[in-house]
Amino acid sequence: AQSVTQPDIHITVSEGASLELRCNYSYGATPYLFWYVQSPGQGLQLLLKYFSGDTLVQGIKGFEAEFKRSQSSFNLRKPSVHWSDAAEYFCAVGGNQGGKLIFGQGTELSVKP
Amino acid sequence: NAGVTQTPKFHILKIGQSMTLQCTQDMNHNYMYWYRQDPGMGLKLIYYSVGAGITDKGEVPNGYNVSRSTTEDFPLRLELAAPSQTSVYFCASSWRTGGTDTQYFGPGTRLTVL
């Protein structure tokens, strides 16, 4: 079955600290992996995506993610968090199998001053 | 270029009433989607469309209907509203199939059914 698991429902980090949000997926074919961010009261915006090639991908706002096929993971990282990064983050998996996107439950990030 | 627009932003509906949520995109995307978002549940696909005149069910289609008469518009119809349809609804669009391409989301419609 196709699925995405984000083990952390809520994470709090201090401003300036590093961040890692976890994402594990299950997909029966070559996965296309996405991270979206949702600011309060807003729609979702793409942070980054992985289709193939270099397993470390760079996105907007200083975020990066690493694809690890052996661990079925696609964790999101940022070296230094800013207060404006407080938002909800969604990992998603898709591909040519069914043509739809499967979203994780989301991780809410709070940033302490 | 407005992207994906949705109306209304907020609405309160009484049980048994019907309404249509509007969605328009100006990016000439072939693919359009309707999702609902419930707390702690991520986004669930309700219906999607691969082009004008072609629609298909997603994961949670019961209680909803859609149509796609033009490339730009993809309205979502709620018939006989129930409290279980209280949710935030997002419309999205993409150039290629949504499993492989970036989806662009509207700002959402927050619907309460009382």
Side-chain angles (χ1 to χ4, degrees), chain A residues 32 34 36 38 41-44 46 49 51 90 94-96 99-101 103-105, chain B residues 35 37 40-43 45 48 57 90 97-103 105-107:
Chain A
Y32 288 64
F34 305 79
Y36 284 86
Q38 183 182 29
Q42 304 295 315
L44 280 70
L46 181 72
K49 58 189 178 185
F51 292 165
F90 292 94
N96 290 310
K100 304 182 194 71
L101 209 54
F103 284 88
Q105 304 93 319
Chain B
Y35 294 93
Q37 182 182 31
M41 301 294 289
L43 277 75
L45 183 65
Y48 67 102
K57 296 178 181 178
F90 288 100
T97 175
T100 62
D101 198 11
T102 301
Q103 293 189 24
F105 285 79

PDB file of all heavy atoms in Angstrom, chain A residues 32 34 36 38 41-44 46 49 51 90 94-96 99-101 103-105, chain B residues 35 37 40-43 45 48 57 90 97-103 105-107:
ATOM      1  N   TYR A  32       8.221   9.708  -6.424  1.00  0.00           N
ATOM      2  CA  TYR A  32       8.463  11.125  -6.566  1.00  0.00           C
ATOM      3  C   TYR A  32       8.122  11.719  -5.191  1.00  0.00           C
ATOM      4  O   TYR A  32       7.010  11.527  -4.707  1.00  0.00           O
ATOM      5  CB  TYR A  32       7.567  11.734  -7.631  1.00  0.00           C
ATOM      6  CG  TYR A  32       7.944  11.355  -9.042  1.00  0.00           C
ATOM      7  CD1 TYR A  32       7.876  10.033  -9.477  1.00  0.00           C
ATOM      8  CD2 TYR A  32       8.354  12.319  -9.963  1.00  0.00           C
ATOM      9  CE1 TYR A  32       8.204   9.678 -10.772  1.00  0.00           C
ATOM     10  CE2 TYR A  32       8.684  11.974 -11.261  1.00  0.00           C
ATOM     11  CZ  TYR A  32       8.609  10.649 -11.656  1.00  0.00           C
ATOM     12  OH  TYR A  32       8.940  10.307 -12.943  1.00  0.00           O
ATOM     13  N   PHE A  34       7.989  14.887  -2.283  1.00  0.00           N
ATOM     14  CA  PHE A  34       7.750  16.321  -2.154  1.00  0.00           C
ATOM     15  C   PHE A  34       7.695  16.708  -0.678  1.00  0.00           C
ATOM     16  O   PHE A  34       7.247  15.938   0.168  1.00  0.00           O
ATOM     17  CB  PHE A  34       6.402  16.699  -2.781  1.00  0.00           C
ATOM     18  CG  PHE A  34       6.211  16.298  -4.212  1.00  0.00           C
ATOM     19  CD1 PHE A  34       5.877  14.992  -4.551  1.00  0.00           C
ATOM     20  CD2 PHE A  34       6.352  17.229  -5.221  1.00  0.00           C
ATOM     21  CE1 PHE A  34       5.688  14.621  -5.875  1.00  0.00           C
ATOM     22  CE2 PHE A  34       6.159  16.877  -6.557  1.00  0.00           C
ATOM     23  CZ  PHE A  34       5.822  15.570  -6.880  1.00  0.00           C
ATOM     24  N   TYR A  36       5.937  20.064   1.232  1.00  0.00           N
ATOM     25  CA  TYR A  36       5.156  21.287   1.125  1.00  0.00           C
ATOM     26  C   TYR A  36       5.101  21.947   2.497  1.00  0.00           C
ATOM     27  O   TYR A  36       5.123  21.278   3.530  1.00  0.00           O
ATOM     28  CB  TYR A  36       3.727  20.993   0.674  1.00  0.00           C
ATOM     29  CG  TYR A  36       3.567  20.666  -0.789  1.00  0.00           C
ATOM     30  CD1 TYR A  36       3.741  19.368  -1.258  1.00  0.00           C
ATOM     31  CD2 TYR A  36       3.230  21.662  -1.706  1.00  0.00           C
ATOM     32  CE1 TYR A  36       3.579  19.075  -2.609  1.00  0.00           C
ATOM     33  CE2 TYR A  36       3.062  21.373  -3.051  1.00  0.00           C
ATOM     34  CZ  TYR A  36       3.244  20.074  -3.495  1.00  0.00           C
ATOM     35  OH  TYR A  36       3.087  19.786  -4.834  1.00  0.00           O
ATOM     36  N   GLN A  38       2.815  24.819   4.835  1.00  0.00           N
ATOM     37  CA  GLN A  38       1.543  25.537   4.956  1.00  0.00           C
ATOM     38  C   GLN A  38       1.626  26.513   6.110  1.00  0.00           C
ATOM     39  O   GLN A  38       1.669  26.113   7.274  1.00  0.00           O
ATOM     40  CB  GLN A  38       0.389  24.556   5.186  1.00  0.00           C
ATOM     41  CG  GLN A  38      -0.966  25.231   5.250  1.00  0.00           C
ATOM     42  CD  GLN A  38      -2.093  24.256   5.530  1.00  0.00           C
ATOM     43  OE1 GLN A  38      -1.908  23.231   6.179  1.00  0.00           O
ATOM     44  NE2 GLN A  38      -3.283  24.561   5.033  1.00  0.00           N
ATOM     45  N   GLY A  41      -3.473  29.598   7.932  1.00  0.00           N
ATOM     46  CA  GLY A  41      -4.525  30.201   7.123  1.00  0.00           C
ATOM     47  C   GLY A  41      -4.228  30.262   5.636  1.00  0.00           C
ATOM     48  O   GLY A  41      -4.967  30.904   4.884  1.00  0.00           O
ATOM     49  N   GLN A  42      -3.170  29.589   5.208  1.00  0.00           N
ATOM     50  CA  GLN A  42      -2.765  29.643   3.803  1.00  0.00           C
ATOM     51  C   GLN A  42      -2.866  28.274   3.140  1.00  0.00           C
ATOM     52  O   GLN A  42      -3.042  27.256   3.803  1.00  0.00           O
ATOM     53  CB  GLN A  42      -1.322  30.136   3.697  1.00  0.00           C
ATOM     54  CG  GLN A  42      -1.046  31.478   4.344  1.00  0.00           C
ATOM     55  CD  GLN A  42      -1.797  32.600   3.654  1.00  0.00           C
ATOM     56  OE1 GLN A  42      -1.826  32.689   2.426  1.00  0.00           O
ATOM     57  NE2 GLN A  42      -2.437  33.454   4.433  1.00  0.00           N
ATOM     58  N   GLY A  43      -2.729  28.281   1.825  1.00  0.00           N
ATOM     59  CA  GLY A  43      -2.616  27.033   1.093  1.00  0.00           C
ATOM     60  C   GLY A  43      -1.212  26.473   1.199  1.00  0.00           C
ATOM     61  O   GLY A  43      -0.344  27.033   1.869  1.00  0.00           O
ATOM     62  N   LEU A  44      -0.973  25.353   0.534  1.00  0.00           N
ATOM     63  CA  LEU A  44       0.332  24.714   0.581  1.00  0.00           C
ATOM     64  C   LEU A  44       1.240  25.264  -0.501  1.00  0.00           C
ATOM     65  O   LEU A  44       0.801  25.568  -1.615  1.00  0.00           O
ATOM     66  CB  LEU A  44       0.190  23.199   0.391  1.00  0.00           C
ATOM     67  CG  LEU A  44      -0.219  22.385   1.607  1.00  0.00           C
ATOM     68  CD1 LEU A  44      -1.664  22.645   1.995  1.00  0.00           C
ATOM     69  CD2 LEU A  44      -0.015  20.899   1.331  1.00  0.00           C
ATOM     70  N   LEU A  46       5.116  24.515  -2.384  1.00  0.00           N
ATOM     71  CA  LEU A  46       6.185  23.538  -2.549  1.00  0.00           C
ATOM     72  C   LEU A  46       7.501  24.078  -2.009  1.00  0.00           C
ATOM     73  O   LEU A  46       7.924  25.183  -2.344  1.00  0.00           O
ATOM     74  CB  LEU A  46       6.357  23.194  -4.024  1.00  0.00           C
ATOM     75  CG  LEU A  46       7.434  22.156  -4.324  1.00  0.00           C
ATOM     76  CD1 LEU A  46       6.971  20.777  -3.876  1.00  0.00           C
ATOM     77  CD2 LEU A  46       7.811  22.157  -5.792  1.00  0.00           C
ATOM     78  N   LYS A  49      11.418  19.092  -4.167  1.00  0.00           N
ATOM     79  CA  LYS A  49      10.947  17.813  -4.681  1.00  0.00           C
ATOM     80  C   LYS A  49      12.128  16.991  -5.169  1.00  0.00           C
ATOM     81  O   LYS A  49      13.171  17.529  -5.540  1.00  0.00           O
ATOM     82  CB  LYS A  49       9.948  18.015  -5.808  1.00  0.00           C
ATOM     83  CG  LYS A  49      10.483  18.818  -6.985  1.00  0.00           C
ATOM     84  CD  LYS A  49       9.362  19.148  -7.958  1.00  0.00           C
ATOM     85  CE  LYS A  49       9.888  20.004  -9.114  1.00  0.00           C
ATOM     86  NZ  LYS A  49       8.789  20.447 -10.019  1.00  0.00           N
ATOM     87  N   PHE A  51      12.993  13.721  -7.822  1.00  0.00           N
ATOM     88  CA  PHE A  51      12.546  12.761  -8.816  1.00  0.00           C
ATOM     89  C   PHE A  51      13.631  11.733  -9.090  1.00  0.00           C
ATOM     90  O   PHE A  51      13.380  10.535  -9.165  1.00  0.00           O
ATOM     91  CB  PHE A  51      12.194  13.459 -10.134  1.00  0.00           C
ATOM     92  CG  PHE A  51      10.974  14.337 -10.051  1.00  0.00           C
ATOM     93  CD1 PHE A  51      10.711  15.255 -11.054  1.00  0.00           C
ATOM     94  CD2 PHE A  51      10.092  14.265  -8.994  1.00  0.00           C
ATOM     95  CE1 PHE A  51       9.588  16.067 -10.988  1.00  0.00           C
ATOM     96  CE2 PHE A  51       8.970  15.066  -8.918  1.00  0.00           C
ATOM     97  CZ  PHE A  51       8.711  15.975  -9.928  1.00  0.00           C
ATOM     98  N   PHE A  90       4.334  19.247   5.263  1.00  0.00           N
ATOM     99  CA  PHE A  90       3.766  18.001   4.758  1.00  0.00           C
ATOM    100  C   PHE A  90       4.732  17.333   3.798  1.00  0.00           C
ATOM    101  O   PHE A  90       5.223  17.961   2.857  1.00  0.00           O
ATOM    102  CB  PHE A  90       2.449  18.255   4.019  1.00  0.00           C
ATOM    103  CG  PHE A  90       1.327  18.708   4.905  1.00  0.00           C
ATOM    104  CD1 PHE A  90       1.066  20.052   5.077  1.00  0.00           C
ATOM    105  CD2 PHE A  90       0.535  17.782   5.560  1.00  0.00           C
ATOM    106  CE1 PHE A  90       0.021  20.479   5.898  1.00  0.00           C
ATOM    107  CE2 PHE A  90      -0.509  18.196   6.378  1.00  0.00           C
ATOM    108  CZ  PHE A  90      -0.761  19.543   6.551  1.00  0.00           C
ATOM    109  N   GLY A  94       4.403  10.433  -4.627  1.00  0.00           N
ATOM    110  CA  GLY A  94       3.600  10.159  -5.810  1.00  0.00           C
ATOM    111  C   GLY A  94       4.444   9.430  -6.821  1.00  0.00           C
ATOM    112  O   GLY A  94       5.547   8.957  -6.517  1.00  0.00           O
ATOM    113  N   GLY A  95       3.917   9.332  -8.011  1.00  0.00           N
ATOM    114  CA  GLY A  95       4.634   8.636  -9.067  1.00  0.00           C
ATOM    115  C   GLY A  95       3.693   8.319 -10.189  1.00  0.00           C
ATOM    116  O   GLY A  95       2.578   8.839 -10.258  1.00  0.00           O
ATOM    117  N   ASN A  96       4.133   7.440 -11.049  1.00  0.00           N
ATOM    118  CA  ASN A  96       3.313   7.073 -12.196  1.00  0.00           C
ATOM    119  C   ASN A  96       2.334   5.953 -11.866  1.00  0.00           C
ATOM    120  O   ASN A  96       1.533   5.559 -12.698  1.00  0.00           O
ATOM    121  CB  ASN A  96       4.211   6.662 -13.356  1.00  0.00           C
ATOM    122  CG  ASN A  96       4.952   7.856 -13.918  1.00  0.00           C
ATOM    123  OD1 ASN A  96       4.346   8.887 -14.206  1.00  0.00           O
ATOM    124  ND2 ASN A  96       6.257   7.737 -14.050  1.00  0.00           N
ATOM    125  N   GLY A  99      -0.925   7.952 -10.335  1.00  0.00           N
ATOM    126  CA  GLY A  99      -0.891   9.354 -10.699  1.00  0.00           C
ATOM    127  C   GLY A  99      -1.369  10.328  -9.646  1.00  0.00           C
ATOM    128  O   GLY A  99      -1.632  11.481  -9.941  1.00  0.00           O
ATOM    129  N   LYS A 100      -1.494   9.874  -8.389  1.00  0.00           N
ATOM    130  CA  LYS A 100      -1.979  10.787  -7.366  1.00  0.00           C
ATOM    131  C   LYS A 100      -0.890  10.996  -6.318  1.00  0.00           C
ATOM    132  O   LYS A 100       0.083  10.267  -6.241  1.00  0.00           O
ATOM    133  CB  LYS A 100      -3.238  10.216  -6.703  1.00  0.00           C
ATOM    134  CG  LYS A 100      -4.362   9.899  -7.673  1.00  0.00           C
ATOM    135  CD  LYS A 100      -5.570   9.393  -6.939  1.00  0.00           C
ATOM    136  CE  LYS A 100      -6.571   8.745  -7.885  1.00  0.00           C
ATOM    137  NZ  LYS A 100      -6.111   7.458  -8.412  1.00  0.00           N
ATOM    138  N   LEU A 101      -1.108  12.021  -5.492  1.00  0.00           N
ATOM    139  CA  LEU A 101      -0.170  12.360  -4.443  1.00  0.00           C
ATOM    140  C   LEU A 101      -0.740  11.874  -3.109  1.00  0.00           C
ATOM    141  O   LEU A 101      -1.920  12.106  -2.821  1.00  0.00           O
ATOM    142  CB  LEU A 101       0.027  13.870  -4.427  1.00  0.00           C
ATOM    143  CG  LEU A 101       1.353  14.435  -3.956  1.00  0.00           C
ATOM    144  CD1 LEU A 101       2.507  13.835  -4.704  1.00  0.00           C
ATOM    145  CD2 LEU A 101       1.344  15.950  -4.132  1.00  0.00           C
ATOM    146  N   PHE A 103      -0.335  12.256   0.920  1.00  0.00           N
ATOM    147  CA  PHE A 103       0.244  13.166   1.905  1.00  0.00           C
ATOM    148  C   PHE A 103       0.401  12.476   3.253  1.00  0.00           C
ATOM    149  O   PHE A 103      -0.424  11.640   3.647  1.00  0.00           O
ATOM    150  CB  PHE A 103      -0.656  14.393   2.090  1.00  0.00           C
ATOM    151  CG  PHE A 103      -0.570  15.383   0.971  1.00  0.00           C
ATOM    152  CD1 PHE A 103      -1.383  15.257  -0.150  1.00  0.00           C
ATOM    153  CD2 PHE A 103       0.311  16.439   1.028  1.00  0.00           C
ATOM    154  CE1 PHE A 103      -1.309  16.166  -1.189  1.00  0.00           C
ATOM    155  CE2 PHE A 103       0.392  17.361  -0.003  1.00  0.00           C
ATOM    156  CZ  PHE A 103      -0.414  17.225  -1.117  1.00  0.00           C
ATOM    157  N   GLY A 104       1.437  12.876   3.972  1.00  0.00           N
ATOM    158  CA  GLY A 104       1.565  12.505   5.366  1.00  0.00           C
ATOM    159  C   GLY A 104       0.640  13.355   6.221  1.00  0.00           C
ATOM    160  O   GLY A 104      -0.035  14.256   5.724  1.00  0.00           O
ATOM    161  N   GLN A 105       0.645  13.066   7.513  1.00  0.00           N
ATOM    162  CA  GLN A 105      -0.286  13.740   8.423  1.00  0.00           C
ATOM    163  C   GLN A 105       0.153  15.157   8.756  1.00  0.00           C
ATOM    164  O   GLN A 105      -0.622  15.946   9.293  1.00  0.00           O
ATOM    165  CB  GLN A 105      -0.420  12.942   9.725  1.00  0.00           C
ATOM    166  CG  GLN A 105      -0.856  11.501   9.535  1.00  0.00           C
ATOM    167  CD  GLN A 105       0.319  10.553   9.431  1.00  0.00           C
ATOM    168  OE1 GLN A 105       1.326  10.833   8.789  1.00  0.00           O
ATOM    169  NE2 GLN A 105       0.187   9.405  10.065  1.00  0.00           N
TER     170      GLN A 105
ATOM    171  N   TYR B  35      -9.060  18.648  -2.438  1.00  0.00           N
ATOM    172  CA  TYR B  35      -8.664  17.963  -1.221  1.00  0.00           C
ATOM    173  C   TYR B  35      -9.478  18.508  -0.056  1.00  0.00           C
ATOM    174  O   TYR B  35      -9.915  19.659  -0.061  1.00  0.00           O
ATOM    175  CB  TYR B  35      -7.199  18.227  -0.895  1.00  0.00           C
ATOM    176  CG  TYR B  35      -6.195  17.676  -1.866  1.00  0.00           C
ATOM    177  CD1 TYR B  35      -5.715  18.447  -2.912  1.00  0.00           C
ATOM    178  CD2 TYR B  35      -5.689  16.391  -1.703  1.00  0.00           C
ATOM    179  CE1 TYR B  35      -4.764  17.945  -3.788  1.00  0.00           C
ATOM    180  CE2 TYR B  35      -4.736  15.876  -2.578  1.00  0.00           C
ATOM    181  CZ  TYR B  35      -4.283  16.665  -3.611  1.00  0.00           C
ATOM    182  OH  TYR B  35      -3.343  16.161  -4.474  1.00  0.00           O
ATOM    183  N   GLN B  37      -8.896  18.891   4.216  1.00  0.00           N
ATOM    184  CA  GLN B  37      -7.889  18.805   5.261  1.00  0.00           C
ATOM    185  C   GLN B  37      -8.569  18.830   6.614  1.00  0.00           C
ATOM    186  O   GLN B  37      -9.250  19.796   6.960  1.00  0.00           O
ATOM    187  CB  GLN B  37      -6.891  19.967   5.165  1.00  0.00           C
ATOM    188  CG  GLN B  37      -5.785  19.894   6.209  1.00  0.00           C
ATOM    189  CD  GLN B  37      -4.836  21.076   6.141  1.00  0.00           C
ATOM    190  OE1 GLN B  37      -5.224  22.190   5.774  1.00  0.00           O
ATOM    191  NE2 GLN B  37      -3.585  20.858   6.486  1.00  0.00           N
ATOM    192  N   GLY B  40      -4.756  16.794  11.901  1.00  0.00           N
ATOM    193  CA  GLY B  40      -4.013  15.570  12.151  1.00  0.00           C
ATOM    194  C   GLY B  40      -4.171  14.493  11.092  1.00  0.00           C
ATOM    195  O   GLY B  40      -3.693  13.373  11.277  1.00  0.00           O
ATOM    196  N   MET B  41      -4.856  14.827   9.998  1.00  0.00           N
ATOM    197  CA  MET B  41      -5.148  13.796   8.976  1.00  0.00           C
ATOM    198  C   MET B  41      -4.466  14.070   7.647  1.00  0.00           C
ATOM    199  O   MET B  41      -4.621  13.309   6.698  1.00  0.00           O
ATOM    200  CB  MET B  41      -6.664  13.707   8.753  1.00  0.00           C
ATOM    201  CG  MET B  41      -7.449  13.374   9.994  1.00  0.00           C
ATOM    202  SD  MET B  41      -7.089  11.719  10.582  1.00  0.00           S
ATOM    203  CE  MET B  41      -7.890  10.751   9.329  1.00  0.00           C
ATOM    204  N   GLY B  42      -3.730  15.136   7.532  1.00  0.00           N
ATOM    205  CA  GLY B  42      -3.142  15.463   6.237  1.00  0.00           C
ATOM    206  C   GLY B  42      -4.219  15.876   5.247  1.00  0.00           C
ATOM    207  O   GLY B  42      -5.295  16.342   5.630  1.00  0.00           O
ATOM    208  N   LEU B  43      -3.923  15.719   3.977  1.00  0.00           N
ATOM    209  CA  LEU B  43      -4.879  16.064   2.928  1.00  0.00           C
ATOM    210  C   LEU B  43      -5.392  14.785   2.276  1.00  0.00           C
ATOM    211  O   LEU B  43      -4.604  13.885   1.958  1.00  0.00           O
ATOM    212  CB  LEU B  43      -4.222  16.936   1.855  1.00  0.00           C
ATOM    213  CG  LEU B  43      -4.141  18.426   2.144  1.00  0.00           C
ATOM    214  CD1 LEU B  43      -3.076  18.730   3.171  1.00  0.00           C
ATOM    215  CD2 LEU B  43      -3.872  19.205   0.862  1.00  0.00           C
ATOM    216  N   LEU B  45      -7.657  13.297  -0.962  1.00  0.00           N
ATOM    217  CA  LEU B  45      -8.140  13.654  -2.285  1.00  0.00           C
ATOM    218  C   LEU B  45      -9.612  13.291  -2.419  1.00  0.00           C
ATOM    219  O   LEU B  45     -10.002  12.140  -2.174  1.00  0.00           O
ATOM    220  CB  LEU B  45      -7.312  12.927  -3.343  1.00  0.00           C
ATOM    221  CG  LEU B  45      -7.633  13.231  -4.794  1.00  0.00           C
ATOM    222  CD1 LEU B  45      -7.309  14.693  -5.116  1.00  0.00           C
ATOM    223  CD2 LEU B  45      -6.855  12.304  -5.706  1.00  0.00           C
ATOM    224  N   TYR B  48     -10.602  14.476  -8.760  1.00  0.00           N
ATOM    225  CA  TYR B  48      -9.618  15.130  -9.590  1.00  0.00           C
ATOM    226  C   TYR B  48     -10.075  15.103 -11.045  1.00  0.00           C
ATOM    227  O   TYR B  48     -11.017  14.375 -11.400  1.00  0.00           O
ATOM    228  CB  TYR B  48      -8.233  14.494  -9.437  1.00  0.00           C
ATOM    229  CG  TYR B  48      -8.122  13.082  -9.950  1.00  0.00           C
ATOM    230  CD1 TYR B  48      -7.525  12.822 -11.183  1.00  0.00           C
ATOM    231  CD2 TYR B  48      -8.566  12.008  -9.187  1.00  0.00           C
ATOM    232  CE1 TYR B  48      -7.398  11.519 -11.646  1.00  0.00           C
ATOM    233  CE2 TYR B  48      -8.455  10.706  -9.651  1.00  0.00           C
ATOM    234  CZ  TYR B  48      -7.861  10.466 -10.878  1.00  0.00           C
ATOM    235  OH  TYR B  48      -7.745   9.176 -11.332  1.00  0.00           O
ATOM    236  N   LYS B  57     -12.974   9.899  -9.252  1.00  0.00           N
ATOM    237  CA  LYS B  57     -13.024   9.913  -7.800  1.00  0.00           C
ATOM    238  C   LYS B  57     -11.643   9.747  -7.198  1.00  0.00           C
ATOM    239  O   LYS B  57     -10.788   9.054  -7.727  1.00  0.00           O
ATOM    240  CB  LYS B  57     -13.921   8.766  -7.307  1.00  0.00           C
ATOM    241  CG  LYS B  57     -15.366   8.891  -7.732  1.00  0.00           C
ATOM    242  CD  LYS B  57     -16.177   7.693  -7.257  1.00  0.00           C
ATOM    243  CE  LYS B  57     -17.629   7.817  -7.708  1.00  0.00           C
ATOM    244  NZ  LYS B  57     -18.423   6.631  -7.294  1.00  0.00           N
ATOM    245  N   PHE B  90      -9.240  22.457  -0.145  1.00  0.00           N
ATOM    246  CA  PHE B  90      -8.224  23.043  -1.002  1.00  0.00           C
ATOM    247  C   PHE B  90      -8.389  22.545  -2.435  1.00  0.00           C
ATOM    248  O   PHE B  90      -8.559  21.346  -2.668  1.00  0.00           O
ATOM    249  CB  PHE B  90      -6.827  22.687  -0.511  1.00  0.00           C
ATOM    250  CG  PHE B  90      -6.429  23.393   0.748  1.00  0.00           C
ATOM    251  CD1 PHE B  90      -6.500  22.746   1.965  1.00  0.00           C
ATOM    252  CD2 PHE B  90      -5.995  24.708   0.715  1.00  0.00           C
ATOM    253  CE1 PHE B  90      -6.147  23.389   3.130  1.00  0.00           C
ATOM    254  CE2 PHE B  90      -5.640  25.362   1.876  1.00  0.00           C
ATOM    255  CZ  PHE B  90      -5.713  24.706   3.093  1.00  0.00           C
ATOM    256  N   THR B  97       0.524  15.048 -14.556  1.00  0.00           N
ATOM    257  CA  THR B  97      -0.165  14.245 -13.555  1.00  0.00           C
ATOM    258  C   THR B  97       0.366  14.538 -12.157  1.00  0.00           C
ATOM    259  O   THR B  97       1.569  14.649 -11.946  1.00  0.00           O
ATOM    260  CB  THR B  97      -0.043  12.741 -13.862  1.00  0.00           C
ATOM    261  OG1 THR B  97      -0.639  12.003 -12.785  1.00  0.00           O
ATOM    262  CG2 THR B  97       1.411  12.322 -13.970  1.00  0.00           C
ATOM    263  N   GLY B  98      -0.564  14.655 -11.218  1.00  0.00           N
ATOM    264  CA  GLY B  98      -0.225  15.131  -9.875  1.00  0.00           C
ATOM    265  C   GLY B  98       0.720  14.254  -9.106  1.00  0.00           C
ATOM    266  O   GLY B  98       1.318  14.700  -8.136  1.00  0.00           O
ATOM    267  N   GLY B  99       0.895  13.018  -9.522  1.00  0.00           N
ATOM    268  CA  GLY B  99       1.827  12.154  -8.809  1.00  0.00           C
ATOM    269  C   GLY B  99       3.272  12.491  -9.101  1.00  0.00           C
ATOM    270  O   GLY B  99       4.168  12.077  -8.365  1.00  0.00           O
ATOM    271  N   THR B 100       3.519  13.234 -10.170  1.00  0.00           N
ATOM    272  CA  THR B 100       4.898  13.498 -10.565  1.00  0.00           C
ATOM    273  C   THR B 100       5.222  14.982 -10.696  1.00  0.00           C
ATOM    274  O   THR B 100       6.367  15.333 -10.905  1.00  0.00           O
ATOM    275  CB  THR B 100       5.213  12.829 -11.915  1.00  0.00           C
ATOM    276  OG1 THR B 100       4.359  13.406 -12.924  1.00  0.00           O
ATOM    277  CG2 THR B 100       4.969  11.330 -11.862  1.00  0.00           C
ATOM    278  N   ASP B 101       4.252  15.833 -10.585  1.00  0.00           N
ATOM    279  CA  ASP B 101       4.462  17.250 -10.871  1.00  0.00           C
ATOM    280  C   ASP B 101       4.082  18.104  -9.674  1.00  0.00           C
ATOM    281  O   ASP B 101       3.263  17.701  -8.832  1.00  0.00           O
ATOM    282  CB  ASP B 101       3.622  17.647 -12.085  1.00  0.00           C
ATOM    283  CG  ASP B 101       4.084  18.943 -12.714  1.00  0.00           C
ATOM    284  OD1 ASP B 101       5.176  19.438 -12.354  1.00  0.00           O
ATOM    285  OD2 ASP B 101       3.353  19.466 -13.579  1.00  0.00           O
ATOM    286  N   THR B 102       4.651  19.291  -9.614  1.00  0.00           N
ATOM    287  CA  THR B 102       4.313  20.238  -8.554  1.00  0.00           C
ATOM    288  C   THR B 102       2.837  20.602  -8.640  1.00  0.00           C
ATOM    289  O   THR B 102       2.327  20.909  -9.723  1.00  0.00           O
ATOM    290  CB  THR B 102       5.147  21.514  -8.702  1.00  0.00           C
ATOM    291  OG1 THR B 102       6.520  21.175  -8.638  1.00  0.00           O
ATOM    292  CG2 THR B 102       4.797  22.524  -7.618  1.00  0.00           C
ATOM    293  N   GLN B 103       2.169  20.572  -7.511  1.00  0.00           N
ATOM    294  CA  GLN B 103       0.791  21.044  -7.457  1.00  0.00           C
ATOM    295  C   GLN B 103       0.763  22.444  -6.845  1.00  0.00           C
ATOM    296  O   GLN B 103       1.479  22.714  -5.891  1.00  0.00           O
ATOM    297  CB  GLN B 103      -0.075  20.081  -6.644  1.00  0.00           C
ATOM    298  CG  GLN B 103      -0.239  18.735  -7.328  1.00  0.00           C
ATOM    299  CD  GLN B 103      -1.253  17.837  -6.659  1.00  0.00           C
ATOM    300  OE1 GLN B 103      -2.156  18.281  -5.961  1.00  0.00           O
ATOM    301  NE2 GLN B 103      -1.130  16.533  -6.883  1.00  0.00           N
ATOM    302  N   PHE B 105      -1.553  25.232  -5.022  1.00  0.00           N
ATOM    303  CA  PHE B 105      -2.743  25.214  -4.185  1.00  0.00           C
ATOM    304  C   PHE B 105      -3.378  26.595  -4.068  1.00  0.00           C
ATOM    305  O   PHE B 105      -2.683  27.621  -4.046  1.00  0.00           O
ATOM    306  CB  PHE B 105      -2.397  24.736  -2.776  1.00  0.00           C
ATOM    307  CG  PHE B 105      -2.153  23.258  -2.702  1.00  0.00           C
ATOM    308  CD1 PHE B 105      -0.947  22.714  -3.096  1.00  0.00           C
ATOM    309  CD2 PHE B 105      -3.152  22.406  -2.253  1.00  0.00           C
ATOM    310  CE1 PHE B 105      -0.719  21.347  -3.044  1.00  0.00           C
ATOM    311  CE2 PHE B 105      -2.940  21.032  -2.188  1.00  0.00           C
ATOM    312  CZ  PHE B 105      -1.719  20.512  -2.595  1.00  0.00           C
ATOM    313  N   GLY B 106      -4.709  26.579  -3.960  1.00  0.00           N
ATOM    314  CA  GLY B 106      -5.430  27.788  -3.608  1.00  0.00           C
ATOM    315  C   GLY B 106      -5.349  28.032  -2.115  1.00  0.00           C
ATOM    316  O   GLY B 106      -4.818  27.210  -1.368  1.00  0.00           O
ATOM    317  N   PRO B 107      -5.923  29.151  -1.656  1.00  0.00           N
ATOM    318  CA  PRO B 107      -5.835  29.514  -0.240  1.00  0.00           C
ATOM    319  C   PRO B 107      -6.791  28.750   0.660  1.00  0.00           C
ATOM    320  O   PRO B 107      -6.676  28.824   1.877  1.00  0.00           O
ATOM    321  CB  PRO B 107      -6.184  31.010  -0.244  1.00  0.00           C
ATOM    322  CG  PRO B 107      -7.048  31.172  -1.444  1.00  0.00           C
ATOM    323  CD  PRO B 107      -6.554  30.204  -2.462  1.00  0.00           C
TER     324      PRO B 107
END
